[in-house]
Amino acid sequence: MMKKIIKWELKRIFSSKKFTAAFILQFFLIVLIIPMFTVYLETLQSGKFFSTTPGMNEFIPIGMNRKCKLSEIIEEYDQFSLTILEKNGGMKMLQKGNIVAYILVDDDFDQKMLKLENITLLIYYNNSDKSYVAKSYLDSIVNGFSDGLRRARMREYDIPSILIEKKDRTDFVAETEKPKTVEEKKETVPKETTPIEKEMVDIKRLKFSLNREYILLLVMLLPLFMSGGLLTDSIVSEKEKKTGEMLLVLPTKRRNIILGKMLAIFLITVVQIILWIFILYGVGKISNIYTIFPLILAAFLVINLSLLISVYSQNYKESALLVTVIYILVFAFMFGTSILYISELKTLSLLSPLSMVIGLEEGSLTTLDTIYGVLPALSFSFISLALSVYLFSKDSFYFGPRPKLLDLIPDIFSKIGKGNFASFFLGCLSVFGAIIVEIAVGVLMYFFLNLDVGFVIFLLSIVFIEEYLKYLAMLPNKSKFSGVFVGFGFGFFENLLSGFVLFTMFFPVEMILFRIIPLLIHMSSSGILGYFRYKKKTKLGFIIAFIIHLAYNTIILVSI
Amino acid sequence: MIESVNVTKKFGDLIALNDLSLKINKNEIFGIVGPNGAGKTTFIRIVCGILSPTSGTVYIDNIDIKKDAVDLKRRIGYLPEEPNLYMRPTAYELVKYFADLYGVPKDLFKERAEELFRLVGLYDRRKSKVESFSKGMRQKLAFVRALIHDPDILIFDEPTMGLDPATSKNIRDFILEYSKDKTVVVCTHYMEEADYLCDMIGVLNNGKLVTSGTPGELKTLIKKENIFEIEVENLEKVIENLKDIKIIKSKGNKIIVSCTYKELGELLESSGGIIGIHSKIPTLEDVFIELTK
């Protein structure tokens, strides 16, 4: 039945003149946004409009005598236009002002780097205005590069040492000419250099301001706005025109009707996102095709919020107002939070799925980032979806005077049921059992096994013990959601015991997020186990729950 | 058989149905009559599975509608008060969509659609867009949509509301013709329609069943006391002398009352100025007005 509803909705939408007009408008807007944004950036970079940093004026032409790891890094910087030139030619071009800096590296630069040996780097500048800008950036790049290598070396040999000796020279000649007075200024890498992470933040900030992520994010706004409109049209207009009454009489569960409608819109949005991403990828505006996934995740969240608004609203006017307000808030949150990705609050930024888009484009998204990025968005989406299904099941939201939201709370509690509350408390209690058993197992491992083997077995045991205790806690409750409530209780109480409150005093934002994710993991793993138990496939559920829990613990340990 | 057992439906503080119990036998046309807000539509929506009762249960062939709503809904053909049709598709596309949703096989659909479109007189317009249809045509199309899956329980909410007399008659005849061997619930506030169509009638008021019976039985409820239409010179004087006599209707200088011959004699004697008296056979409308006062 749901498939038929989806098919019909798709047919209705595609035969609608409103949709066709909106889609064509959207197409042209997106097609226009890309060149417009590019022109805007170019204007910004040219300084004709205004300039925020000297480096954003235009490309800085520099030369280098050979390709090496350093040249690869420099090439990643959009500010530079790097040309490989042999020394004599390079010097000539530097004199003529064709390039503003010339970097001379040893032939065995890469080998020395791999062996963590000292490297000397000569950088010539031509004293032009741009050369000062180039110097500023090259200092930053070389320091960052050197710092990274020095850390590697310090880790390897446990000794502090300068790795790259950088010599800047402003006096230069081509080899055919006699050199002028040579005064070498020796610069050593300062002992208290800026941490490499800080360098990366600065670099990313620049790249972000210039680059394609914003185009990508702007482009995705349109299909999402359109999705909200379509969903409102599909649900609220059926309420207003009363056509929905004929759907409610159909031989299907009520939830299938809105799920069918939601999925139809989601499908259209996904297709649009895929289409646009492929186009942008094709024209070279984005570099990572996998940005499709966080965008789809963002779309899922926005569509579910729109669904909740549509189900709640009594008429078009109300839904339009709510959609506008909520969209402004959601997009402000998504964009605002995603900007934190380039700051030190990277973990917090992952509350917004758009941060993953930036992470993928930057190539800096880790598995843990992905978990942090996916779980909150997915949780909010499913909470919105569950609330929408719940509200849609209430007759009053369709036919009668709409009840006050506060009046629904007792009803929601009664829907949750005593059994599920009991599961929550049993989940809390099972934390005590887990602590006792895990300590006992830990002590046994310590005394009877060597450290490495013991640690692996201990890691496996923790997951097994926790999942098994949660399984025992869910036994008295026959509901398919028993696992979710046990997991919630377990994660909640574990957070309390692990000093959640105390930690948040010192690491407020990151720690809150750090503790929310395990809570969601406990809810997910136990939820799956509980559902499979309900379906009488407990073993399979246990295996899946075990794998999820183990995967998360392993990722956390590896990250630490 | 449809059986409602102590059904109550509340919307917030509003009680739409109050402990309603009634039985509708198989293959009968049951009319539900009552004033606006009596709970007629709420009741049939509960029977259709559109609304859930706050308390009480509805059984269809002894199956609780809450427990097996999906299967029971397949057996129901519902015509709401407004046709509630999608406007963009053609009549044929619309009916096909609902046939698909009800799982009507393709070959059977073609056959049934043709039969129903011909029966309601829309065969030649089946390829036209719904938005181009008149109110009467939309109502007929709504019939086709409600019947396309060949339900054995038909529920019609105000099937002729807002239609001209000729179309209304057309639709009533269609209901009579089509509903042979089917259980039909007709919700209406047109008394002549209920009288014309129904085997049994239930009168609802304020969410409660006031009474039920065949149209004839209901008429005898007030026939026992006789109905008189009295034309008088001074209506106010007559009303003053009514005592326990029930007024069914009064308009201009005419008053329709229900009373015994003795009471009538006393009234005439005390009032004077009588222009004319007619003994009146009660209609369902009289019953309706009397019972829902």
Side-chain angles (χ1 to χ4, degrees):
Chain A
M1 177 68 80
M2 206 195 292
K3 272 186 200 167
K4 286 172 186 168
I5 293 174
I6 293 172
K7 208 172 140 187
W8 171 257
E9 283 300 319
L10 290 174
K11 200 176 167 188
R12 270 182 75 201
I13 291 165
F14 285 115
S15 65
S16 149
K17 284 175 190 164
K18 264 191 285 182
F19 174 77
T20 315
F23 187 78
I24 292 170
L25 189 69
Q26 178 200 285
F27 178 82
F28 283 111
L29 269 172
I30 291 176
V31 167
L32 276 174
I33 277 177
I34 297 166
M36 272 171 64
F37 201 77
T38 311
V39 168
Y40 167 73
L41 286 179
E42 280 171 6
T43 314
L44 205 67
Q45 284 168 14
S46 70
K48 287 172 192 164
F49 186 51
F50 67 87
S51 173
T52 50
T53 69
M56 288 170 73
N57 283 338
E58 58 190 29
F59 287 119
I60 304 165
I62 60 169
M64 197 165 177
N65 64 324
R66 63 187 310 278
K67 272 194 173 290
C68 61
K69 290 287 173 196
L70 184 62
S71 71
E72 284 173 16
I73 289 172
I74 293 171
E75 275 173 338
E76 283 178 14
Y77 288 78
D78 294 338
Q79 294 81 11
F80 291 118
S81 162
L82 180 69
T83 315
I84 302 298
L85 302 161
E86 52 82 26
K87 189 182 173 189
N88 207 28
M91 289 301 178
K92 277 183 182 172
M93 289 184 80
L94 195 61
Q95 275 179 326
K96 285 178 189 170
N98 297 114
I99 55 173
V100 298
Y102 183 72
I103 305 164
L104 199 64
V105 294
D106 294 338
D107 289 347
D108 55 353
F109 181 93
D110 285 349
Q111 286 85 342
K112 278 186 176 176
M113 191 193 76
L114 290 171
K115 288 178 190 167
L116 299 173
E117 288 175 5
N118 283 349
I119 301 165
T120 306
L121 197 68
L122 273 167
I123 306 178
Y124 295 90
Y125 297 101
N126 67 359
N127 279 334
S128 67
D129 287 347
K130 279 185 186 172
S131 73
Y132 294 110
V133 180
K135 185 174 183 310
S136 159
Y137 281 123
L138 285 174
D139 280 352
S140 167
I141 293 167
V142 173
N143 284 345
F145 188 69
S146 171
D147 199 38
L149 291 176
R150 198 173 75 253
R151 283 170 179 232
R153 180 173 175 165
M154 285 162 71
R155 274 201 301 274
E156 187 78 9
Y157 300 112
D158 197 24
I159 46 162
S161 173
I162 296 159
L163 192 67
I164 295 184
E165 187 184 20
K166 186 165 72 66
K167 294 174 180 177
D168 291 346
R169 296 177 67 145
T170 51
D171 50 320
F172 50 85
V173 285
E175 275 184 353
T176 48
E177 291 175 27
K178 195 181 174 184
K180 291 177 186 172
T181 333
V182 174
E183 190 183 310
E184 212 174 81
K185 186 187 167 193
K186 190 178 174 185
E187 267 189 21
T188 55
V189 179
K191 283 180 184 173
E192 292 292 322
T193 47
T194 322
I196 197 161
E197 290 83 2
K198 182 75 174 65
E199 299 287 341
M200 292 310 291
V201 165
D202 291 341
I203 293 157
K204 275 182 190 165
R205 187 174 291 133
L206 264 168
K207 286 193 80 180
F208 185 76
S209 65
L210 287 166
N211 249 333
R212 48 218 169 198
E213 289 88 348
Y214 260 127
I215 296 179
L216 189 65
L217 300 182
L218 278 171
V219 164
M220 70 152 287
L221 275 179
L222 290 166
L224 287 189
F225 268 122
M226 199 167 144
S227 308
L230 287 173
L231 203 62
T232 307
D233 187 63
S234 182
I235 293 173
V236 183
S237 75
E238 296 240 37
K239 260 191 223 180
E240 275 202 335
K241 294 173 188 166
K242 294 182 180 172
T243 45
E245 192 178 347
M246 285 318 297
L247 297 180
L248 297 179
V249 82
L250 290 172
T252 184
K253 288 185 175 165
R254 202 184 267 202
R255 65 167 176 262
N256 290 342
I257 296 164
I258 53 162
L259 288 179
K261 283 177 178 292
M262 186 275 281
L263 287 173
I265 305 293
F266 182 58
L267 204 63
I268 291 174
T269 315
V270 168
V271 170
Q272 285 192 83
I273 287 173
I274 291 173
L275 181 77
W276 288 121
I277 294 298
F278 270 90
I279 291 173
L280 289 171
Y281 186 72
V283 297
K285 292 288 174 192
I286 56 165
S287 60
N288 196 327
I289 204 82
Y290 293 115
T291 45
I292 284 172
F293 296 109
L295 288 179
I296 288 175
L297 185 66
F300 189 59
L301 176 62
V302 171
I303 286 175
N304 278 305
L305 285 172
S306 310
L307 181 70
L308 186 57
I309 294 167
S310 306
V311 170
Y312 175 78
S313 304
Q314 283 177 319
N315 51 47
Y316 249 131
K317 199 176 161 186
E318 190 181 35
S319 68
L321 183 71
L322 282 172
V323 161
T324 309
V325 173
I326 299 288
Y327 271 31
I328 289 170
L329 292 175
V330 167
F331 283 109
F333 175 77
M334 277 196 183
F335 276 88
T337 316
S338 69
I339 288 168
L340 297 176
Y341 188 82
I342 56 170
S343 76
E344 286 166 11
L345 293 169
K346 184 182 163 189
T347 318
L348 181 67
S349 79
L350 289 161
L351 278 175
S352 163
L354 302 191
S355 301
M356 285 191 286
V357 174
I358 298 168
L360 280 167
E361 278 291 298
E362 297 288 343
S364 58
L365 194 75
T366 63
T367 314
L368 194 61
D369 288 349
T370 311
I371 293 174
Y372 279 173
V374 169
L375 275 181
L378 217 52
S379 306
F380 282 121
S381 302
F382 281 115
I383 288 169
S384 296
L385 185 61
L387 279 174
S388 306
V389 170
Y390 166 73
L391 293 184
F392 196 70
S393 72
K394 306 291 294 176
D395 293 339
S396 312
F397 276 82
Y398 216 96
F399 296 102
R402 188 175 58 194
K404 287 176 189 165
L405 288 178
L406 281 178
D407 295 344
L408 292 174
I409 292 172
D411 187 59
I412 291 173
F413 276 104
S414 71
K415 283 252 178 211
I416 291 170
K418 286 177 190 167
N420 289 330
F421 276 114
S423 292
F424 174 80
F425 288 112
L426 286 172
C428 293
L429 284 178
S430 56
V431 176
F432 287 115
I435 291 170
I436 293 165
V437 182
E438 281 168 16
I439 289 173
V441 171
V443 170
L444 284 173
M445 299 294 161
Y446 182 76
F447 284 109
F448 295 105
L449 292 168
N450 72 51
L451 200 60
D452 290 343
V453 176
F455 183 73
V456 172
I457 296 176
F458 183 56
L459 181 69
L460 294 169
S461 310
I462 283 177
V463 176
F464 182 82
I465 291 162
E466 291 185 2
E467 286 309 318
Y468 192 71
L469 284 171
K470 284 190 286 176
Y471 168 69
L472 292 180
M474 68 181 78
L475 283 179
N477 184 0
K478 299 254 185 296
S479 150
K480 63 178 129 179
F481 298 113
S482 60
V484 177
F485 287 91
V486 168
F488 184 37
F490 192 96
F492 174 76
F493 204 65
E494 186 187 53
N495 278 346
L496 280 183
L497 289 183
S498 63
F500 175 56
V501 178
L502 191 67
F503 274 125
T504 53
M505 286 164 68
F506 298 105
F507 312 101
V509 178
E510 297 249 321
M511 277 312 294
I512 288 170
L513 195 67
F514 188 69
R515 294 313 308 172
I516 285 174
I517 300 297
L519 175 71
L520 294 174
I521 292 286
H522 276 302
M523 287 173 74
S524 312
S525 63
S526 307
I528 289 167
L529 174 54
Y531 182 76
F532 277 90
R533 182 180 74 100
Y534 177 77
K535 293 275 176 190
K536 307 213 183 302
K537 291 177 182 171
T538 308
K539 279 180 191 166
L540 179 63
F542 196 87
I543 291 167
I544 298 171
F546 185 84
I547 290 170
I548 291 172
H549 197 151
L550 182 66
Y552 176 72
N553 282 7
T554 309
I555 290 165
I556 287 289
L557 282 170
V558 168
S559 310
I560 292 168
Chain B
M1 186 185 68
I2 300 168
E3 189 178 10
S4 156
V5 181
N6 306 115
V7 169
T8 297
K9 178 68 186 175
K10 290 180 186 172
F11 292 102
D13 297 332
L14 177 82
I15 301 172
L17 286 180
N18 191 356
D19 204 27
L20 178 73
S21 294
L22 64 83
K23 263 186 190 175
I24 298 166
N25 294 315
K26 202 168 183 177
N27 298 340
E28 80 180 5
I29 302 181
F30 192 97
I32 297 174
V33 297
N36 293 332
K40 305 184 296 285
T41 301
T42 302
F43 173 68
I44 58 170
R45 279 178 177 160
I46 288 173
V47 175
C48 290
I50 296 172
L51 295 177
S52 309
T54 310
S55 63
T57 318
V58 172
Y59 296 96
I60 294 179
D61 290 341
N62 298 320
I63 303 166
D64 187 344
I65 191 152
K66 274 190 215 162
K67 288 183 183 156
D68 206 357
V70 173
D71 277 345
L72 289 174
K73 277 173 162 185
R74 282 185 209 285
R75 295 175 51 194
I76 295 172
Y78 173 57
L79 180 86
E81 190 174 335
E82 298 282 334
N84 301 344
L85 302 166
Y86 296 117
M87 293 292 139
R88 283 199 290 266
T90 64
Y92 191 82
E93 282 169 343
L94 181 97
V95 174
K96 185 162 188 332
Y97 168 54
F98 280 91
D100 280 347
L101 291 172
Y102 279 99
V104 180
K106 275 184 186 174
D107 48 344
L108 197 64
F109 162 74
K110 277 186 183 174
E111 200 180 295
R112 285 194 60 74
E114 187 177 336
E115 182 197 342
L116 287 167
F117 274 120
R118 284 190 192 282
L119 206 61
V120 297
L122 284 179
Y123 186 76
D124 294 336
R125 292 296 305 273
R126 70 190 189 286
K127 299 274 169 72
S128 303
K129 289 209 168 197
V130 179
E131 61 195 0
S132 68
F133 281 18
S134 68
K135 191 174 166 60
M137 287 162 82
R138 286 178 193 178
Q139 190 72 341
K140 287 174 181 175
L141 177 60
F143 268 101
V144 179
R145 177 190 60 185
L147 305 175
I148 191 67
H149 57 291
D150 196 19
D152 61 334
I153 299 165
L154 308 177
I155 296 176
F156 303 133
D157 190 3
E158 307 285 2
T160 60
M161 186 140 114
L163 300 179
D164 63 74
T167 313
S168 295
K169 188 177 181 310
N170 202 338
I171 290 211
R172 281 172 199 150
D173 290 342
F174 169 77
I175 292 173
L176 276 180
E177 190 183 332
Y178 193 81
S179 59
K180 285 165 194 161
D181 306 326
K182 293 186 191 293
T183 308
V184 183
V185 182
V186 181
C187 192
T188 182
H189 58 249
Y190 293 138
M191 294 307 122
E192 70 274 24
E193 183 168 278
D195 203 358
Y196 183 71
L197 289 175
C198 302
D199 304 318
M200 288 286 287
I201 290 170
V203 182
L204 253 64
N205 196 17
N206 294 324
K208 285 185 173 176
L209 182 71
V210 179
T211 187
S212 66
T214 63
E217 282 168 352
L218 292 182
K219 285 171 195 169
T220 58
L221 285 177
I222 51 176
K223 173 90 175 152
K224 284 173 193 166
E225 292 187 312
N226 300 308
I227 305 282
F228 301 102
E229 187 181 77
I230 310 164
E231 200 175 345
V232 291
E233 281 173 357
N234 188 348
L235 188 64
E236 281 176 16
K237 199 175 177 186
V238 175
I239 291 171
E240 274 171 24
N241 295 319
L242 278 175
K243 294 177 187 169
D244 293 333
I245 297 172
K246 292 174 192 167
I247 304 175
I248 292 173
K249 202 158 114 185
S250 70
K251 194 179 175 186
N253 62 343
K254 285 182 183 172
I255 184 165
I256 301 172
V257 293
S258 165
C259 58
T260 60
Y261 283 103
K262 190 186 170 194
E263 285 170 329
L264 179 69
E266 284 169 7
L267 178 67
L268 296 177
E269 204 174 303
S270 59
S271 303
I274 304 297
I275 299 168
I277 304 168
H278 307 282
S279 175
K280 200 170 177 293
I281 299 164
T283 62
L284 262 186
E285 193 174 335
D286 301 324
V287 178
F288 176 79
I289 292 166
E290 179 66 28
L291 293 176
T292 58
K293 264 180 188 171

